[in-house]
Amino acid sequence: MTTTSSLLEELGLVPVINATGATSRLGGNLLSAPAREAMLAAGQSYIPLDELQARASEAIARATGAEAGCVASGAAACLFLAVAASMTGTDVAAMDRLPDTRGLRNEIVVHRAHRNPYDHALRATGARLVEVGYLGAASSPGTRDWELAAAITDRTCAFFYVATGLPDREVLPLATVVEIAHRHCLPVIVDAAGASSLGASLTQFIGEGADLVAFSGGKGVGGPAGSGFLAGRRDLILAATVQQQDMYVHPATWSGPFGDAAPGSAEPPRQGIGRMLKVGREEIAGLIAALESYAGRDHAADDAEALALATEIADRLQTLRGAKVSLVGPPDSTQGQVIVDFSAAGGPARAAEVSRRLRGGRPRVFCLDTFIHQGILVVKTPTLRPGEAAVVVERLVAECDREKGHTL
Ligand SMILES: *Cc1c(COP(=O)(O)O)cnc(C)c1O
């Protein structure tokens, strides 16, 4: 049997040690064993995908407390579908018209502090973001209730909120946004893909009244990296999922997603704007299995283990040349992480140089480079496999002992 590493070697690739956390650019998290088995099994049979999506909806509902759910190709795909659903509702003619939004509600209200590069997924539907609030306002919060309410027009289709799970002085609490939006009968869409504590966030934002919450399948839950899931209100999930599922169907034999009659119409919609975000049976089955096994895990024990590993690495790096090593952020999180701070000697340039050397040498080690501009490299421990912590320590010591500018 071909091992994973020999398979990659045949392609001329050298696998890396991932100390960045579950980042999409390194393939996301490791696939959990139940997900791996489910994906393999799903690929061996034919199965109507709407029926499989209906099972996924039930699994997502159980895990999140939402009414329903659907699986798409990532959290970004789910955000795209959430906006499409908010603009069209169950109107099949509106679905067919997208991304032409003429005549549709197409404005999404968002805190200015929540703008981020992933929101391209929202704009790609044809919707427009309407920003409120300030960055760096002298008196917090950077956004006031009335600013949010004043941004609503007769074209508003939804509110968008990025859930980090951490306090943020520049935005209103999600509960306040929900209250204002619901007073105007508007849905709140939450991006939970970057939330600091996935275990809690699965139910938290639905519990706080969010109407649609997007999660990544390949980040925390150990599902396929090409998957994400959207949890939320049943009518909106229906509108989202019919715009993604394959609609090369005949009205006479189509029974609708989840086995229901087509929402708001006896006719199935045409191929929707989300059709290019399709997932196969492998992703849907893998996501269901991953979600069920993730929900059954002891998240506190997993966090404690990652923190213990971080403490061990930090202890062994206390004499690291030219860097101060600690457990305290950024990023401000309780996850297992080691902060390697070069700001006192070499700063951002030195941090970047060490990072490049760690990536280029053998074994290849990828640390999180998000804070290089502050002279900081972060070693994330949740994605380290057994035995890799010692290698990370060894490589860091070796690279920091090298003189600046010394070539490999
Ligand atoms: C990772 C991430 C996404 C995208 O998730 P995918 O599953 O890779 O599509 C969206 N938003 C935030 C905040 C993220 O961190």
Side-chain angles (χ1 to χ4, degrees), residues 22-25 72-79 116-119 121 160 162-164 191-195 214-219 224-229:
T23 48
S24 301
R25 52 205 175 276
S73 54
C78 289
L79 292 174
N116 73 87
Y118 288 111
D119 69 36
F160 175 60
V162 181
T164 59
D191 178 357
F215 297 92
S216 187
K219 283 188 180 166
S227 75
F229 55 105

mmCIF file of all heavy atoms in Angstrom, residues 22-25 72-79 116-119 121 160 162-164 191-195 214-219 224-229, ligand 1:
data_model
loop_
_atom_site.group_PDB
_atom_site.id
_atom_site.type_symbol
_atom_site.label_atom_id
_atom_site.label_comp_id
_atom_site.label_asym_id
_atom_site.label_seq_id
_atom_site.Cartn_x
_atom_site.Cartn_y
_atom_site.Cartn_z
ATOM 1 N N ALA A 22 -4.607 25.247 11.894
ATOM 2 C CA ALA A 22 -5.316 24.640 10.761
ATOM 3 C C ALA A 22 -5.514 25.649 9.639
ATOM 4 O O ALA A 22 -6.614 26.121 9.397
ATOM 5 C CB ALA A 22 -6.659 24.090 11.228
ATOM 6 N N THR A 23 -4.433 25.993 8.955
ATOM 7 C CA THR A 23 -4.530 26.996 7.889
ATOM 8 C C THR A 23 -4.827 26.332 6.546
ATOM 9 O O THR A 23 -4.257 25.287 6.222
ATOM 10 C CB THR A 23 -3.225 27.805 7.777
ATOM 11 O OG1 THR A 23 -2.134 26.883 7.752
ATOM 12 C CG2 THR A 23 -3.049 28.731 8.969
ATOM 13 N N SER A 24 -5.710 26.980 5.784
ATOM 14 C CA SER A 24 -6.125 26.424 4.493
ATOM 15 C C SER A 24 -4.934 26.214 3.565
ATOM 16 O O SER A 24 -4.902 25.261 2.800
ATOM 17 C CB SER A 24 -7.131 27.356 3.823
ATOM 18 O OG SER A 24 -8.257 27.530 4.642
ATOM 19 N N ARG A 25 -3.917 27.114 3.638
ATOM 20 C CA ARG A 25 -2.818 27.026 2.665
ATOM 21 C C ARG A 25 -1.908 25.822 2.891
ATOM 22 O O ARG A 25 -1.118 25.455 2.023
ATOM 23 C CB ARG A 25 -2.033 28.335 2.616
ATOM 24 C CG ARG A 25 -1.567 28.846 3.944
ATOM 25 C CD ARG A 25 -1.350 30.371 3.951
ATOM 26 N NE ARG A 25 -1.024 30.810 5.302
ATOM 27 C CZ ARG A 25 -1.930 31.074 6.225
ATOM 28 N NH1 ARG A 25 -3.205 30.986 5.926
ATOM 29 N NH2 ARG A 25 -1.570 31.439 7.432
ATOM 30 N N ALA A 72 -21.034 23.028 1.988
ATOM 31 C CA ALA A 72 -20.502 23.580 0.732
ATOM 32 C C ALA A 72 -18.979 23.465 0.783
ATOM 33 O O ALA A 72 -18.433 22.831 1.687
ATOM 34 C CB ALA A 72 -20.957 25.021 0.536
ATOM 35 N N SER A 73 -18.286 24.076 -0.173
ATOM 36 C CA SER A 73 -16.860 23.791 -0.341
ATOM 37 C C SER A 73 -15.928 24.537 0.621
ATOM 38 O O SER A 73 -14.720 24.440 0.493
ATOM 39 C CB SER A 73 -16.466 24.069 -1.791
ATOM 40 O OG SER A 73 -16.843 25.385 -2.134
ATOM 41 N N GLY A 74 -16.478 25.255 1.591
ATOM 42 C CA GLY A 74 -15.648 25.929 2.584
ATOM 43 C C GLY A 74 -16.508 26.948 3.317
ATOM 44 O O GLY A 74 -17.672 27.175 2.937
ATOM 45 N N ALA A 75 -15.934 27.560 4.348
ATOM 46 C CA ALA A 75 -16.691 28.593 5.062
ATOM 47 C C ALA A 75 -16.964 29.778 4.137
ATOM 48 O O ALA A 75 -18.035 30.385 4.185
ATOM 49 C CB ALA A 75 -15.925 29.055 6.295
ATOM 50 N N ALA A 76 -15.992 30.097 3.280
ATOM 51 C CA ALA A 76 -16.177 31.220 2.352
ATOM 52 C C ALA A 76 -17.347 30.931 1.411
ATOM 53 O O ALA A 76 -18.184 31.804 1.140
ATOM 54 C CB ALA A 76 -14.891 31.469 1.562
ATOM 55 N N ALA A 77 -17.439 29.686 0.935
ATOM 56 C CA ALA A 77 -18.553 29.279 0.071
ATOM 57 C C ALA A 77 -19.875 29.426 0.821
ATOM 58 O O ALA A 77 -20.881 29.870 0.261
ATOM 59 C CB ALA A 77 -18.364 27.832 -0.383
ATOM 60 N N CYS A 78 -19.852 29.069 2.102
ATOM 61 C CA CYS A 78 -21.085 29.163 2.909
ATOM 62 C C CYS A 78 -21.512 30.618 3.086
ATOM 63 O O CYS A 78 -22.712 30.923 3.078
ATOM 64 C CB CYS A 78 -20.870 28.500 4.270
ATOM 65 S SG CYS A 78 -20.763 26.702 4.148
ATOM 66 N N LEU A 79 -20.548 31.521 3.230
ATOM 67 C CA LEU A 79 -20.887 32.945 3.358
ATOM 68 C C LEU A 79 -21.533 33.446 2.068
ATOM 69 O O LEU A 79 -22.509 34.198 2.078
ATOM 70 C CB LEU A 79 -19.629 33.769 3.671
ATOM 71 C CG LEU A 79 -19.024 33.522 5.050
ATOM 72 C CD1 LEU A 79 -17.700 34.277 5.181
ATOM 73 C CD2 LEU A 79 -19.986 33.952 6.152
ATOM 74 N N ASN A 116 -12.797 42.329 6.151
ATOM 75 C CA ASN A 116 -11.593 41.496 6.074
ATOM 76 C C ASN A 116 -11.555 40.856 4.692
ATOM 77 O O ASN A 116 -12.576 40.795 4.001
ATOM 78 C CB ASN A 116 -11.602 40.444 7.200
ATOM 79 C CG ASN A 116 -12.605 39.337 6.941
ATOM 80 O OD1 ASN A 116 -12.294 38.356 6.274
ATOM 81 N ND2 ASN A 116 -13.827 39.510 7.442
ATOM 82 N N PRO A 117 -10.380 40.377 4.273
ATOM 83 C CA PRO A 117 -10.249 39.909 2.882
ATOM 84 C C PRO A 117 -11.186 38.761 2.517
ATOM 85 O O PRO A 117 -11.496 38.575 1.346
ATOM 86 C CB PRO A 117 -8.786 39.463 2.795
ATOM 87 C CG PRO A 117 -8.089 40.242 3.862
ATOM 88 C CD PRO A 117 -9.083 40.380 4.978
ATOM 89 N N TYR A 118 -11.659 37.989 3.498
ATOM 90 C CA TYR A 118 -12.597 36.907 3.177
ATOM 91 C C TYR A 118 -13.955 37.447 2.727
ATOM 92 O O TYR A 118 -14.763 36.702 2.176
ATOM 93 C CB TYR A 118 -12.821 35.990 4.376
ATOM 94 C CG TYR A 118 -11.646 35.097 4.707
ATOM 95 C CD1 TYR A 118 -10.906 35.287 5.866
ATOM 96 C CD2 TYR A 118 -11.287 34.048 3.867
ATOM 97 C CE1 TYR A 118 -9.844 34.459 6.180
ATOM 98 C CE2 TYR A 118 -10.226 33.218 4.168
ATOM 99 C CZ TYR A 118 -9.504 33.428 5.331
ATOM 100 O OH TYR A 118 -8.454 32.613 5.636
ATOM 101 N N ASP A 119 -14.239 38.739 3.004
ATOM 102 C CA ASP A 119 -15.581 39.220 2.651
ATOM 103 C C ASP A 119 -15.757 39.401 1.137
ATOM 104 O O ASP A 119 -16.838 39.774 0.669
ATOM 105 C CB ASP A 119 -16.012 40.432 3.486
ATOM 106 C CG ASP A 119 -15.245 41.714 3.210
ATOM 107 O OD1 ASP A 119 -14.881 41.965 2.054
ATOM 108 O OD2 ASP A 119 -15.042 42.487 4.182
ATOM 109 N N ALA A 121 -16.088 36.983 -0.584
ATOM 110 C CA ALA A 121 -17.117 35.948 -0.809
ATOM 111 C C ALA A 121 -18.516 36.547 -0.743
ATOM 112 O O ALA A 121 -19.430 36.093 -1.435
ATOM 113 C CB ALA A 121 -16.973 34.834 0.215
ATOM 114 N N PHE A 160 -23.985 41.496 8.570
ATOM 115 C CA PHE A 160 -22.866 40.545 8.583
ATOM 116 C C PHE A 160 -22.021 40.789 9.827
ATOM 117 O O PHE A 160 -21.761 41.943 10.198
ATOM 118 C CB PHE A 160 -22.009 40.717 7.315
ATOM 119 C CG PHE A 160 -20.766 39.866 7.302
ATOM 120 C CD1 PHE A 160 -20.864 38.480 7.371
ATOM 121 C CD2 PHE A 160 -19.507 40.436 7.241
ATOM 122 C CE1 PHE A 160 -19.716 37.690 7.369
ATOM 123 C CE2 PHE A 160 -18.357 39.651 7.227
ATOM 124 C CZ PHE A 160 -18.469 38.273 7.293
ATOM 125 N N VAL A 162 -18.506 39.190 12.083
ATOM 126 C CA VAL A 162 -17.386 38.253 12.169
ATOM 127 C C VAL A 162 -17.193 37.876 13.627
ATOM 128 O O VAL A 162 -16.893 38.743 14.457
ATOM 129 C CB VAL A 162 -16.083 38.857 11.598
ATOM 130 C CG1 VAL A 162 -14.951 37.842 11.685
ATOM 131 C CG2 VAL A 162 -16.286 39.295 10.159
ATOM 132 N N ALA A 163 -17.393 36.616 13.940
ATOM 133 C CA ALA A 163 -17.276 36.173 15.336
ATOM 134 C C ALA A 163 -15.859 35.701 15.608
ATOM 135 O O ALA A 163 -15.360 34.797 14.950
ATOM 136 C CB ALA A 163 -18.255 35.037 15.595
ATOM 137 N N THR A 164 -15.209 36.361 16.561
ATOM 138 C CA THR A 164 -13.860 35.943 16.924
ATOM 139 C C THR A 164 -13.882 35.191 18.251
ATOM 140 O O THR A 164 -12.948 34.474 18.573
ATOM 141 C CB THR A 164 -12.934 37.165 17.087
ATOM 142 O OG1 THR A 164 -13.484 37.999 18.104
ATOM 143 C CG2 THR A 164 -12.834 37.940 15.802
ATOM 144 N N ASP A 191 -19.752 34.951 10.334
ATOM 145 C CA ASP A 191 -18.580 34.184 9.912
ATOM 146 C C ASP A 191 -17.907 33.673 11.177
ATOM 147 O O ASP A 191 -17.284 34.443 11.909
ATOM 148 C CB ASP A 191 -17.620 35.078 9.115
ATOM 149 C CG ASP A 191 -16.355 34.332 8.695
ATOM 150 O OD1 ASP A 191 -16.202 33.151 9.067
ATOM 151 O OD2 ASP A 191 -15.517 34.943 8.001
ATOM 152 N N ALA A 192 -18.034 32.364 11.437
ATOM 153 C CA ALA A 192 -17.452 31.777 12.649
ATOM 154 C C ALA A 192 -16.197 30.962 12.328
ATOM 155 O O ALA A 192 -15.698 30.238 13.179
ATOM 156 C CB ALA A 192 -18.485 30.903 13.360
ATOM 157 N N ALA A 193 -15.683 31.097 11.095
ATOM 158 C CA ALA A 193 -14.552 30.255 10.682
ATOM 159 C C ALA A 193 -13.271 30.579 11.447
ATOM 160 O O ALA A 193 -12.379 29.743 11.557
ATOM 161 C CB ALA A 193 -14.302 30.386 9.189
ATOM 162 N N GLY A 194 -13.176 31.804 11.976
ATOM 163 C CA GLY A 194 -11.951 32.173 12.681
ATOM 164 C C GLY A 194 -12.148 32.279 14.183
ATOM 165 O O GLY A 194 -11.280 32.782 14.893
ATOM 166 N N ALA A 195 -13.278 31.806 14.684
ATOM 167 C CA ALA A 195 -13.557 31.926 16.128
ATOM 168 C C ALA A 195 -12.510 31.168 16.934
ATOM 169 O O ALA A 195 -12.081 30.089 16.547
ATOM 170 C CB ALA A 195 -14.953 31.399 16.445
ATOM 171 N N ALA A 214 -21.560 30.470 9.396
ATOM 172 C CA ALA A 214 -20.670 29.711 8.515
ATOM 173 C C ALA A 214 -19.452 29.205 9.280
ATOM 174 O O ALA A 214 -18.812 29.966 10.023
ATOM 175 C CB ALA A 214 -20.218 30.591 7.351
ATOM 176 N N PHE A 215 -19.135 27.924 9.100
ATOM 177 C CA PHE A 215 -17.971 27.296 9.724
ATOM 178 C C PHE A 215 -17.125 26.636 8.639
ATOM 179 O O PHE A 215 -17.642 26.218 7.597
ATOM 180 C CB PHE A 215 -18.401 26.183 10.694
ATOM 181 C CG PHE A 215 -19.231 26.637 11.860
ATOM 182 C CD1 PHE A 215 -20.622 26.646 11.775
ATOM 183 C CD2 PHE A 215 -18.631 27.029 13.042
ATOM 184 C CE1 PHE A 215 -21.396 27.043 12.862
ATOM 185 C CE2 PHE A 215 -19.400 27.427 14.131
ATOM 186 C CZ PHE A 215 -20.784 27.439 14.040
ATOM 187 N N SER A 216 -15.830 26.476 8.932
ATOM 188 C CA SER A 216 -14.955 25.757 8.020
ATOM 189 C C SER A 216 -14.931 24.282 8.422
ATOM 190 O O SER A 216 -14.853 23.966 9.602
ATOM 191 C CB SER A 216 -13.547 26.354 8.104
ATOM 192 O OG SER A 216 -12.737 25.790 7.115
ATOM 193 N N GLY A 217 -15.014 23.381 7.429
ATOM 194 C CA GLY A 217 -14.967 21.953 7.752
ATOM 195 C C GLY A 217 -13.551 21.468 7.981
ATOM 196 O O GLY A 217 -13.313 20.494 8.683
ATOM 197 N N GLY A 218 -12.595 22.147 7.364
ATOM 198 C CA GLY A 218 -11.216 21.674 7.432
ATOM 199 C C GLY A 218 -10.386 22.327 8.513
ATOM 200 O O GLY A 218 -9.220 21.990 8.696
ATOM 201 N N LYS A 219 -10.941 23.243 9.256
ATOM 202 C CA LYS A 219 -10.134 23.914 10.290
ATOM 203 C C LYS A 219 -10.216 23.165 11.613
ATOM 204 O O LYS A 219 -9.387 22.330 11.898
ATOM 205 C CB LYS A 219 -10.569 25.362 10.432
ATOM 206 C CG LYS A 219 -10.021 26.224 9.301
ATOM 207 C CD LYS A 219 -10.296 27.680 9.546
ATOM 208 C CE LYS A 219 -9.723 28.530 8.399
ATOM 209 N NZ LYS A 219 -10.254 29.890 8.431
ATOM 210 N N PRO A 224 -13.094 17.280 5.824
ATOM 211 C CA PRO A 224 -12.361 17.537 4.576
ATOM 212 C C PRO A 224 -12.030 19.028 4.430
ATOM 213 O O PRO A 224 -12.868 19.881 4.730
ATOM 214 C CB PRO A 224 -13.365 17.110 3.496
ATOM 215 C CG PRO A 224 -14.402 16.293 4.190
ATOM 216 C CD PRO A 224 -14.432 16.715 5.611
ATOM 217 N N ALA A 225 -10.815 19.319 3.961
ATOM 218 C CA ALA A 225 -10.401 20.714 3.815
ATOM 219 C C ALA A 225 -11.238 21.425 2.752
ATOM 220 O O ALA A 225 -11.378 22.639 2.781
ATOM 221 C CB ALA A 225 -8.924 20.788 3.462
ATOM 222 N N GLY A 226 -11.814 20.661 1.829
ATOM 223 C CA GLY A 226 -12.673 21.254 0.799
ATOM 224 C C GLY A 226 -14.126 21.282 1.232
ATOM 225 O O GLY A 226 -15.017 21.112 0.419
ATOM 226 N N SER A 227 -14.360 21.488 2.536
ATOM 227 C CA SER A 227 -15.747 21.560 3.007
ATOM 228 C C SER A 227 -15.933 22.672 4.020
ATOM 229 O O SER A 227 -14.986 23.100 4.689
ATOM 230 C CB SER A 227 -16.186 20.228 3.638
ATOM 231 O OG SER A 227 -15.626 20.057 4.927
ATOM 232 N N GLY A 228 -17.160 23.140 4.106
ATOM 233 C CA GLY A 228 -17.567 24.075 5.140
ATOM 234 C C GLY A 228 -19.033 23.801 5.393
ATOM 235 O O GLY A 228 -19.663 23.081 4.610
ATOM 236 N N PHE A 229 -19.559 24.328 6.492
ATOM 237 C CA PHE A 229 -20.992 24.099 6.720
ATOM 238 C C PHE A 229 -21.662 25.364 7.211
ATOM 239 O O PHE A 229 -21.068 26.192 7.891
ATOM 240 C CB PHE A 229 -21.252 22.909 7.646
ATOM 241 C CG PHE A 229 -20.572 22.949 8.995
ATOM 242 C CD1 PHE A 229 -21.296 23.235 10.142
ATOM 243 C CD2 PHE A 229 -19.223 22.676 9.114
ATOM 244 C CE1 PHE A 229 -20.678 23.247 11.391
ATOM 245 C CE2 PHE A 229 -18.597 22.690 10.358
ATOM 246 C CZ PHE A 229 -19.330 22.979 11.499
HETATM 247 C C1 LIG B 1 -10.487 30.476 7.219
HETATM 248 C C2 LIG B 1 -11.502 31.546 7.250
HETATM 249 C C3 LIG B 1 -12.486 31.627 6.255
HETATM 250 C C4 LIG B 1 -12.519 30.687 5.063
HETATM 251 O O1 LIG B 1 -12.711 29.344 5.423
HETATM 252 P P1 LIG B 1 -12.638 28.224 4.255
HETATM 253 O O2 LIG B 1 -13.257 27.013 4.888
HETATM 254 O O3 LIG B 1 -11.194 28.042 3.939
HETATM 255 O O4 LIG B 1 -13.412 28.724 3.099
HETATM 256 C C5 LIG B 1 -13.422 32.626 6.338
HETATM 257 N N1 LIG B 1 -13.398 33.511 7.356
HETATM 258 C C6 LIG B 1 -12.482 33.472 8.343
HETATM 259 C C7 LIG B 1 -12.525 34.484 9.455
HETATM 260 C C8 LIG B 1 -11.494 32.488 8.329
HETATM 261 O O5 LIG B 1 -10.560 32.449 9.284
#
